[in-house]
């Protein structure tokens, strides 16, 4: 199963969609789904000026565990996931995940499960700063 998990990373440098897409390339894959999460300029009707992500030291181990479960539940050829930590600006890439499978429906389903489970289970926290001077912490799990 670990041979289908091609890229697992949490880093403080800008993310690359091409890196994640390339990681899941497989000659047996007829469908590849990629999800890109970006920093938006609002949350709950409040203007966001910037945000910062932080992570627990076990973050990559927890991310790999999520990916192993997706690989067990879906007929994936390859999976990749990269999340950013540190200070991000509006429009920056915060997370990029991808799944390749023999068929597009499976790829869509596996990619959606990967991002949903990452957000629910991987110990990454977001600190948002609002344009009005307020701020809040949002836990990914």
């Amino acid at each position: 199963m670990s041979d289908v998990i091609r890229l697992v990373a949490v880093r403080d440098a800008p993310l690359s969609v091409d890196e994640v897409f390339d990681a899941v390339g497989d000659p047996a894959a007829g469908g590849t789904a990629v999800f890109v999460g970006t920093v938006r300029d609002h949350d709950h009707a409040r203007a966001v000026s910037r945000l910062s992500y932080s992570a627990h030291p076990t973050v990559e181990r927890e991310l790999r565990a999520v990916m192993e479960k997706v690989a067990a539940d879906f007929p994936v050829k390859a999976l990749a996931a990269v999340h950013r930590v540190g200070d991000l600006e509006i429009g920056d890439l915060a997370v990029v995940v991808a799944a390749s499978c023999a068929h597009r429906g499976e790829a869509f389903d596996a990619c959606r499960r990967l991002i949903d489970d990452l957000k629910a289970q991987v110990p990454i926290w977001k600190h948002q700063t609002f344009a009005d001077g307020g701020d809040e912490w949002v836990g990914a799990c």
Side-chain angles (χ1 to χ4, degrees):
M1 181 179 332
S2 63
D3 59 325
V4 302
I5 299 174
R6 307 267 177 87
L7 176 61
V8 181
V10 176
R11 40 174 93 126
D12 61 0
L15 306 183
S16 165
V17 174
D18 289 339
E19 176 192 24
V20 174
F21 178 75
D22 290 346
V24 296
D26 191 286
T32 300
V34 178
F35 173 81
V36 179
T38 57
V39 178
R40 63 181 179 270
D41 66 357
H42 69 282
D43 192 27
H44 303 292
R46 293 177 75 185
V48 173
S49 57
R50 63 184 301 242
L51 60 80
S52 180
Y53 283 100
S54 58
H56 191 272
T58 63
V59 66
E60 286 189 9
R61 184 175 69 221
E62 298 299 324
L63 178 53
R64 180 173 289 279
V66 163
M67 295 172 80
E68 288 172 352
K69 180 73 167 119
V70 172
D73 291 347
F74 294 91
V76 296
K77 301 300 179 189
L79 293 172
V82 183
H83 203 294
R84 180 108 180 254
V85 292
D87 296 333
L88 284 77
E89 301 297 329
I90 304 304
D92 284 349
L93 304 185
V95 61
V96 183
V97 301
S100 63
C101 298
H103 303 285
R104 71 179 176 271
E106 298 163 341
F108 280 123
D109 292 344
C111 188
R112 180 174 186 114
R113 169 77 70 77
L114 177 53
I115 189 60
D116 287 350
D117 288 358
L118 183 161
K119 297 296 284 181
Q121 299 173 30
V122 177
I124 297 172
W125 303 277
K126 177 171 60 175
H127 183 224
Q128 298 186 118
T129 303
F130 297 102
D132 64 11
D135 70 313
E136 76 175 347
W137 283 92
V138 180
C141 60

